[in-house]
Amino acid sequence: MNRQTAPTDWKGAAMQKRIAGRYAAERRFKLMGLGAVLLSGAFLAFLLFVMVGNGARGFLYTQVAVPIDFKAMPLTIDPARLGDDDADQLIANAGLSDIVAFAAEEALGSGGSDLISENAWKEVRSAIKADPELLNGRTMFELPASSDVDIAAKDGAKGALGAEVAALEKDGKLSTGIHWPFFRNADATDPAVAGIWGALKGSVLTIFIAFLIAFPTGVLAALYLEEYAAKNRWTDLIEVSINNLAAVPSIIFGLLALAVFINWFGLCQASPLVGGLTLALMTMPVIVIASRNAIKSVPPSIRDAALGVGASPVQVVFHHVLPLALPGILTGTIIGMARALGETAPLLLVGMRAFIGDVPGGICSPATVLPMQIFLWSDEVDRGFVEKTSAAIIVLLIVLLSMNAFAIYLRNKFEKRW
Amino acid sequence: MTFNAAALLLLIAGLALIGWLAGRARSSLLAGRAGEKLHSRPQYHGWYVALWLFAPAALFLAVWSSVSPALVTNQVLAADAAQSLPAFGFERGAILSDARNVAEGRQAAVRLPAAAPLVKPYADASQKYALIGIAAMLALALAGGLYAFTRIKPDFRARTRVEKIVMLFLLLASLVAILTTFGIVLSLLFESIRFFRLVSPAELLFGTEWAPTSGAPQPDTFGGIPLFWGTILIGAIIAMIVAIPIGMMTAVYLTQYAAPTVRKWVKPCLEILAGVPTVVYGYFAALTVAPALREFAVMLGIPNASTESALAAGIVMGVMIIPFVSSMADDSINAVPQAMRDGSLALGATPNETIRQVLIPAALPGVMGGILLAVSRAIGETMIVVMAAGLSANMTANPFASVTTVTAQIVKLLTGDQEFDSAKTLAAFALGLVLFIVTLLLNIVALRIVKKYREAYE
Amino acid sequence: MTQDDLTIADPKMKAHGVNVFYGEKQAINDVSIDVGTDLVTAFIGPSGCGKSTFLRSLNRMNDTVASARVTGRIELDGEDIYAPSMDVVQLRARVGMVFQKPNPFPKSIYDNVGYGPRIHGLAPNKADLDVIVERALIRAGLWDEVKDRLAESGTALSGGQQQRLCIARAIAVDPEVILMDEPCSALDPIATAKIEELIHELRGKYAIVIVTHNMQQAARVSQRTAFFHLGTLVEYGKTTDIFTNPKQERTKDYITGRYG
Ligand SMILES: Nc1ncnc2c1ncn2[C@@H]1O[C@H](COP(=O)(O)OP(=O)(O)OP(=O)(O)O)[C@@H](O)[C@H]1O
Ligand SMILES: [Mg+2]
């Protein structure tokens, strides 16, 4: 052998020990990687576990069985007017709340009216409006318990309240049912009747406006930049703007909306219109970027083929490129919309944090959105709102996760077309 | 009669449909009669008419619906009944909006007695301007439609015209991004300049006392340093300490070690983590993490332990950023050519030596760019800090103490009871300007680095 | 096929009945070949015939391809390299590889060459490493060109220099065999000439296997040539014999340029 140095002694003890050490380092490193993945997974699992654990109870509510005999305590109201717009007001004026309170005292003993929610009569009112026949007889109502009783029944409580709840339970007067007001009502100060319907509708309206503006604008802008724009300073400026807007903190969009939409244009404050406009500006860059990538991935051969048979550039894009890029565009749009749907910060600044006790009627009426409702409830001191907050989070997560899952599904399905 | 923009939009859309049908029919008719071949297919003539009918009218509608409320209000203020209004402030606005609500039928009766005499002037004025607006809009629509309709000839190049208009739309759409950027810059600058007339920029940038509590005996102070420090502590230090190692190791594991099936399942899970809204993270931080950390700190005997700790917000923010860091790192590592990895393995390096000494150094620019973007995202994050970090402006390095951030203060200054144009509300815009500039610089630098890096391995 | 004057007394590597599969697809079919220490062996054959695949199975680089599977026996100094007791890390240190496209790491020239000795612990201290790096660069014929800029990035060199840097990097761990997969295909004629010269100089110190598409190159640098076709070894012999007097029709067709 014609070597200048002695060949390396790979079999020597020292070298073998070194190799063993290197393999140990390899195993440690791999374990660290696995640990990181597991840790991320554990965070997600823990977060979901906490939210579901807290929130599942928020969908349920304790009800107290109270018979109300409208023969004994007549509600003086003309049944023909129960369909009118102001029926709610009329029933309230007729003193239904007193009747319900009295019935509770009668059925549950003195202090009984404190065991049911002070808004329980509103549930009775809804029932009467749905079925005026109730006014002619004695009916057993399952009324929402007061917030304290609800928590005591779910958690167990000591003291006088605990004893009372235990007694009610023994008499079979307590039951647990799905908390329909939670799905039917808007916000309220009483957890017994506070619901997410108002916020949900606000979210739908807001996102609808955002989509209506951001989607066409985003897709058209992407088409322009990818297909037609000449490479010059203007297009560079547009590109830089879009890339930066996609990374600008969302709260900045809130400041923009506050200054421009509300202070300058005087658009209706706290409305889905302003919220939607704000979120549209925020999501548009996301849609542009996703659409551009989708358009880029349409092979040039398709454009050449279409141009070759005499299609004009506009026809090529709208007849061939756009349909082929659509799955990718939709994926990006859904992800952007899901992000907008979960967004809170910019909407705080355009006034959507106000307490809104009514379900919003239109795009210009005051509204709140689901994430904002979560934020507002998270600040409430009343313990009943803790589980309501988590329940609202579950609803929001279900909506968002199904949107994201759909986007991922779309992407995987159409990923490798070429 | 009120000015209902949505209904009017539908109306002109309907007219446009008629225009489309008419244009199409006329072009085929003309072509049939003259026996000539049409330059463009009939539907392009239809589109041409429809666009001419719709676009000017819709544009007018947009402009009119944003200016007409001001015109109405002006006329009302000129009326005799308005002379007795309080000069300024909240009450005046409330009375006016009360009167408007009644006049426009959104409310059955006035709530403020002072509004009653204004209802009629309001109703009159809005009716007048609604009529003017509708008439002008319809005239525009008809004029546009007729103009286009008369131009239809067999050899009229309708398709080229329509395509020109389509191109114009595309161009306009792409300008929205620039417009938004300018809007942000201008609105932030405008309000910030007004703020800097009251408070010097030096105080905001270098002052160490943040106490914008109006009503207090001593004057407000707007020293931003405590906020900047809090922002950095939470977003750039604690969150990154959590996110960078975990995100990087996750990316390394997924790209280098994990079986394809594992990757197939873990990646969507990470995307789920990324899709959880920040308000949920914030609630999680405030409800679960912060109390646990406080108990831990009290157990250790750390002073100033607060339930609104920098640590709770920072850790949860870090978790939020993990998927972001890991996907950026994933992309960067994947962009390193396979040849680099093979070269190292062929020398007898173990995978971890290859990763640590070859792949990560080679991917470093991309990873750094990703980390800068992550920092920019963390310091702009609002809900987690609003809910979990608290509002007390402390200059402390104790992560168990409460600190506040720029974003949390913007929210605080702009929500709740606010008088407009006070230094307090203007300060929010100045803080926004600082935040915008910092994140903008971070983003530009990061995007540059990432782009350069991608080109290096092209 | 085996001839008496062809048998190598003490082959460095011996392959016997090797098959390589990518999933279901068989890329190498029953190949047996010996690689001698003092010789340069050239692998030639049309594109896709499995030269690279076979070469990569000699230092188990095919392990990095998830779908790849190797059967048969390959020995290095009489040891089965696919035996469980064989350590891949050491194997690859002993059987170095140079790739088609130069792939220097984005590190300094010094660190590129020092990388292997460092990870294998071949240099107890900096002075030793300096010696190893210098010797490797000298052997690769690059020392004079880079000795004043060892701290510069390896990627800043020209293509030919980069390839010689990669050879130096492989030499630095003191391998026994060097596998080269079309080392000159990305280089211009002058750089190619330099590499060929280098191969001449390295012969005798290392067992060298080179894959090439360039017939002249195979004729110039090698003493043994193996012709592969469709995953089988068609003919193996002295380079002079293969090029002047091939036994197989297919070999003849290939080297005279009738296909491939
Ligand atoms: N990673 C892989 N997965 C699946 N099949 C592969 C893979 N690598 C190579 N092949 C297939 O194995 C066969 C042999 O490929 P190989 O790269 O060894 O050919 P080659 O002789 O080196 O060709 P060339 O001269 O073009 O480099 C080819 O049919 C190729 O398609
Ligand atoms: Mg090959």
Side-chain angles (χ1 to χ4, degrees):
Chain A
M1 287 258 270
N2 183 2
R3 293 173 165 272
Q4 286 165 3
T5 52
T8 312
D9 177 17
W10 293 107
K11 295 273 180 290
M15 193 51 96
Q16 289 300 327
K17 193 160 162 245
R18 211 189 124 79
I19 297 257
R22 286 170 66 196
Y23 277 118
E26 171 69 22
R27 278 192 301 275
R28 278 197 303 275
F29 188 73
K30 196 172 166 180
L31 267 180
M32 270 166 62
L34 186 61
V37 172
L38 291 181
L39 206 56
S40 324
F43 276 130
L44 182 62
F46 184 53
L47 189 141
L48 294 180
F49 176 77
V50 169
M51 292 308 152
V52 172
N54 276 331
R57 298 194 329 177
F59 295 116
L60 300 177
Y61 205 81
T62 307
Q63 294 159 337
V64 187
V66 175
I68 302 177
D69 188 353
F70 285 109
K71 280 227 181 71
M73 296 173 286
L75 185 70
T76 43
I77 185 165
D78 177 6
R81 298 198 56 189
L82 284 177
D84 289 5
D85 284 346
D86 53 356
D88 279 355
Q89 197 57 45
L90 287 176
I91 298 178
N93 292 346
L96 180 61
S97 66
D98 295 337
I99 295 176
V100 172
F102 189 75
E105 295 275 331
E106 210 163 54
L108 309 173
S110 82
S113 62
D114 293 337
L115 297 176
I116 61 168
S117 157
E118 57 193 279
N119 289 299
W121 65 272
K122 288 183 182 157
E123 297 301 311
V124 179
R125 179 174 69 186
S126 306
I128 291 173
K129 274 165 70 184
D131 179 13
E133 279 302 305
L134 294 178
L135 286 178
N136 302 329
R138 183 171 186 276
T139 321
M140 196 63 143
F141 284 94
E142 299 281 352
L143 296 180
S146 76
S147 180
D148 292 341
V149 171
D150 177 51
I151 290 170
K154 283 171 176 166
D155 287 347
K158 290 188 209 57
L161 183 64
E164 259 178 292
V165 170
L168 283 177
E169 230 156 32
K170 218 173 94 219
D171 295 349
K173 286 188 172 144
L174 285 191
S175 62
T176 308
I178 292 183
H179 192 208
W180 292 114
F182 180 72
F183 297 103
R184 211 164 46 205
N185 292 356
D187 197 5
T189 46
D190 176 6
V193 290
I196 56 166
W197 177 238
L200 209 55
K201 191 169 171 202
S203 269
V204 169
L205 288 172
T206 308
I207 286 302
F208 182 67
I209 303 260
F211 174 81
L212 225 53
I213 295 165
F215 180 69
T217 323
V219 174
L220 292 183
L223 280 177
Y224 180 75
L225 291 175
E226 264 319 302
E227 298 286 327
Y228 305 113
K231 267 268 152 225
N232 58 26
R233 252 204 249 127
W234 274 103
T235 20
D236 279 352
L237 191 63
I238 297 177
E239 260 204 85
V240 171
S241 301
I242 287 174
N243 287 337
N244 281 312
L245 283 180
V248 161
S250 59
I251 193 164
I252 300 284
F253 288 95
L255 289 173
L256 168 75
L258 177 60
V260 174
F261 298 144
I262 294 183
N263 288 355
W264 290 0
F265 290 172
L267 294 182
C268 20
Q269 200 165 355
S271 63
L273 179 64
V274 170
L277 281 170
T278 315
L279 296 180
L281 293 184
M282 206 186 83
T283 24
M284 196 204 58
V286 179
I287 296 179
V288 175
I289 292 173
S291 306
R292 288 186 68 175
N293 287 335
I295 294 167
K296 239 185 245 159
S297 70
V298 175
S301 58
I302 291 196
R303 296 179 182 82
D304 296 343
L307 285 172
V309 298
S312 73
V314 171
Q315 286 172 325
V316 170
V317 165
F318 281 91
H319 295 174
H320 299 279
V321 176
L322 195 55
L324 289 173
L326 209 56
I329 294 177
L330 285 182
T331 308
T333 306
I334 295 171
I335 289 175
M337 283 297 141
R339 228 171 83 183
L341 189 55
E343 195 55 74
T344 324
L347 304 182
L348 273 174
L349 303 192
V350 296
M352 292 183 92
R353 84 176 292 184
F355 172 87
I356 310 282
D358 298 320
V359 176
I363 59 167
C364 224
S365 46
T368 192
V369 291
L370 200 45
M372 190 67 72
Q373 190 69 74
I374 292 166
F375 174 63
L376 292 173
W377 281 351
S378 75
D379 253 1
E380 290 282 345
V381 276
D382 193 323
R383 273 192 59 202
F385 276 110
V386 173
E387 53 188 42
K388 292 283 163 253
T389 314
S390 298
I393 286 178
I394 292 176
V395 174
L396 180 64
L397 283 182
I398 288 176
V399 175
L400 291 184
L401 294 190
S402 35
M403 281 172 80
N404 277 319
F406 183 61
I408 293 173
Y409 164 80
L410 260 186
R411 188 185 59 204
N412 290 346
K413 179 152 184 216
F414 291 98
E415 201 169 30
K416 289 208 183 71
R417 285 267 295 276
W418 332 106
Chain B
M1 174 167 214
T2 54
F3 194 70
N4 184 339
L8 291 176
L9 200 66
L10 271 182
L11 175 68
I12 52 174
L15 285 177
L17 179 65
I18 296 172
W20 187 81
L21 291 170
R24 199 178 65 151
R26 180 172 157 89
S27 64
S28 349
L29 195 73
L30 282 179
R33 199 187 295 154
E36 274 176 77
K37 205 172 160 315
L38 281 174
H39 168 268
S40 308
R41 303 234 307 281
Q43 76 235 40
Y44 283 104
H45 292 95
W47 277 114
Y48 183 69
V49 176
L51 280 171
W52 262 105
L53 205 154
F54 184 79
L59 203 66
F60 175 79
L61 185 64
V63 173
W64 191 252
S65 46
S66 52
V67 299
S68 69
L71 294 175
V72 170
T73 312
N74 272 345
Q75 180 171 334
V76 172
L77 291 181
D80 294 336
Q83 304 314 321
S84 58
L85 275 176
F88 279 108
F90 183 74
E91 226 187 318
R92 182 185 171 98
I95 293 172
L96 281 174
S97 81
D98 197 23
R100 181 167 66 223
N101 282 344
V102 176
E104 290 173 4
R106 250 171 290 162
Q107 206 171 286
V110 289
R111 292 183 183 146
L112 305 166
L118 289 177
V119 171
K120 176 129 174 45
Y122 242 118
D124 291 347
S126 57
Q127 175 146 15
K128 175 174 136 200
Y129 283 107
L131 277 179
I132 294 176
I134 292 169
M137 186 195 79
L138 285 179
L140 256 178
L142 289 182
L146 275 179
Y147 165 76
F149 192 72
T150 52
R151 295 194 60 185
I152 294 178
K153 307 237 162 43
D155 62 348
F156 178 64
R157 297 170 173 260
R159 199 196 73 227
T160 340
R161 297 302 174 105
V162 171
E163 290 182 350
K164 279 226 177 84
I165 300 176
V166 170
M167 290 299 282
L168 187 72
F169 277 128
L170 296 191
L171 180 67
L172 287 179
S174 69
L175 288 181
V176 173
I178 293 197
L179 224 66
T180 312
T181 308
F182 275 116
I184 290 176
V185 172
L186 286 183
S187 59
L188 290 181
L189 265 183
F190 185 70
E191 308 282 335
S192 298
I193 289 171
R194 287 169 54 189
F195 174 71
F196 290 136
R197 284 208 199 107
L198 304 172
V199 178
S200 85
E203 182 185 342
L204 180 73
L205 291 179
F206 306 114
T208 54
E209 191 72 31
W210 177 265
T213 42
S214 52
Q218 72 274 42
D220 299 351
T221 48
F222 291 97
I225 294 283
L227 314 189
F228 303 148
W229 165 245
T231 308
I232 291 171
L233 179 65
I234 292 179
I237 300 177
I238 300 175
M240 290 304 130
I241 289 176
V242 174
I244 294 175
I246 298 183
M248 285 292 296
M249 284 310 290
T250 302
V252 163
Y253 187 81
L254 289 183
T255 54
Q256 306 297 319
Y257 289 114
T261 41
V262 174
R263 199 161 47 232
K264 206 177 105 196
W265 285 102
V266 173
K267 280 197 132 184
C269 280
L270 281 175
E271 281 172 70
I272 290 180
L273 205 52
V276 173
T278 55
V279 67
V280 176
Y281 280 114
Y283 184 61
F284 181 66
L287 182 81
T288 314
V289 181
L293 281 176
R294 197 190 105 88
E295 244 161 65
F296 179 68
V298 168
M299 210 176 71
L300 292 183
I302 293 171
N304 291 334
S306 159
T307 37
E308 302 191 316
S309 63
L311 200 55
I315 288 178
V316 172
M317 195 184 285
V319 172
M320 183 191 87
I321 304 273
I322 288 174
F324 187 76
V325 172
S326 110
S327 90
M328 293 295 290
D330 198 318
D331 290 349
S332 307
I333 292 175
N334 268 331
V336 177
Q338 180 71 17
M340 214 70 92
R341 192 166 161 250
D342 283 354
S344 173
L345 291 175
L347 282 171
T350 58
N352 100 74
E353 288 160 351
T354 303
I355 293 163
R356 281 193 318 205
Q357 301 187 33
V358 176
L359 293 187
I360 292 185
L364 203 58
V367 171
M368 284 308 295
I371 288 175
L372 287 187
L373 284 179
V375 170
S376 130
R377 185 176 267 216
I379 65 177
E381 167 48 36
T382 309
M383 294 320 290
I384 294 178
V385 288
V386 167
M387 296 169 82
L391 292 165
S392 44
N394 292 325
M395 286 271 279
T396 171
N398 174 4
F400 291 98
S402 166
V403 296
T404 190
T405 69
V406 172
T407 49
Q409 288 300 323
I410 293 177
V411 170
K412 185 185 175 206
L413 292 171
L414 286 180
T415 53
D417 301 325
Q418 46 166 309
E419 328 128 51
F420 233 85
D421 295 356
S422 75
K424 253 177 78 180
T425 50
L426 294 176
F429 284 90
L431 286 178
L433 185 65
V434 174
L435 181 65
F436 179 71
I437 292 174
V438 171
T439 52
L440 186 73
L441 289 180
L442 278 173
N443 294 338
I444 290 179
V445 172
L447 291 174
R448 277 267 162 83
I449 296 179
V450 172
K451 200 171 163 203
K452 275 255 167 62
Y453 168 74
R454 294 260 154 78
E455 281 162 1
Y457 288 126
E458 217 103 89
Chain C
M1 194 177 77
T2 29
Q3 286 170 315
D4 284 334
D5 61 333
L6 263 180
T7 40
I8 296 160
D10 176 24
K12 191 74 205 170
M13 295 196 83
K14 262 169 91 105
H16 188 80
V18 173
N19 299 294
V20 184
F21 301 86
Y22 289 116
E24 291 296 296
K25 186 173 159 249
Q26 185 161 12
I28 287 290
N29 188 2
D30 191 22
V31 169
S32 303
I33 203 167
D34 289 358
V35 175
T37 303
D38 293 337
L39 300 171
V40 175
T41 308
F43 290 176
I44 60 171
S47 196
C49 67
K51 305 178 298 288
S52 301
T53 301
F54 185 65
L55 196 72
R56 288 164 62 88
S57 61
L58 294 180
N59 71 343
R60 289 184 57 177
M61 278 304 281
N62 277 338
D63 292 10
T64 60
V65 179
S67 66
R69 193 160 51 83
V70 179
T71 65
R73 190 176 168 87
I74 302 178
E75 291 175 2
L76 175 65
D77 282 339
E79 254 185 289
D80 181 2
I81 66 168
Y82 283 90
S85 61
M86 174 54 80
D87 175 34
V88 207
V89 161
Q90 283 192 353
L91 170 72
R92 290 184 189 148
R94 294 170 64 191
V95 183
M97 190 165 205
V98 175
F99 295 82
Q100 177 168 1
K101 257 176 70 189
N103 57 350
F105 303 137
K107 298 168 177 283
S108 70
I109 294 171
Y110 183 95
D111 286 340
N112 259 285
V113 181
Y115 178 73
R118 264 197 197 124
I119 55 175
H120 291 295
L122 301 182
N125 54 47
K126 174 87 166 73
D128 286 339
L129 190 61
D130 287 348
V131 173
I132 291 178
V133 169
E134 179 176 346
R135 190 178 300 144
L137 283 169
I138 290 173
R139 276 200 186 167
L142 196 59
W143 177 251
D144 291 332
E145 289 159 69
V146 301
K147 64 171 179 249
D148 300 324
R149 44 179 190 146
L150 291 176
E152 269 177 40
S153 171
T155 49
L157 297 172
S158 77
Q161 288 174 325
Q162 286 188 7
Q163 194 62 304
R164 278 180 284 149
L165 179 64
C166 291
I167 294 175
R169 189 174 70 186
I171 291 174
V173 286
D174 197 22
E176 296 152 41
V177 183
I178 299 179
L179 310 173
M180 300 185 173
D181 193 350
E182 304 183 41
C184 303
S185 64
L187 305 181
D188 67 33
I190 295 178
T192 302
K194 280 220 167 121
I195 303 270
E196 286 180 13
E197 211 174 292
L198 181 57
I199 293 172
H200 272 299
E201 264 155 42
L202 297 176
R203 176 161 73 89
K205 301 190 183 84
Y206 311 98
I208 295 176
V209 182
I210 177 170
V211 172
T212 178
H213 275 283
N214 182 331
M215 295 305 123
Q216 283 78 21
Q217 183 172 61
R220 279 194 303 265
V221 301
S222 71
Q223 288 75 49
R224 293 285 185 279
T225 296
F227 171 59
F228 286 80
H229 186 224
L230 296 177
T232 57
L233 177 62
V234 177
E235 187 168 358
Y236 172 67
K238 287 191 170 165
T239 301
T240 44
D241 292 345
I242 297 271
F243 281 95
T244 54
N245 185 17
K247 307 224 157 27
Q248 304 279 329
E249 202 59 26
R250 282 192 281 173
T251 317
K252 196 163 151 197
D253 288 347
Y254 181 68
I255 57 181
T256 53
R258 225 167 288 171
Y259 64 54

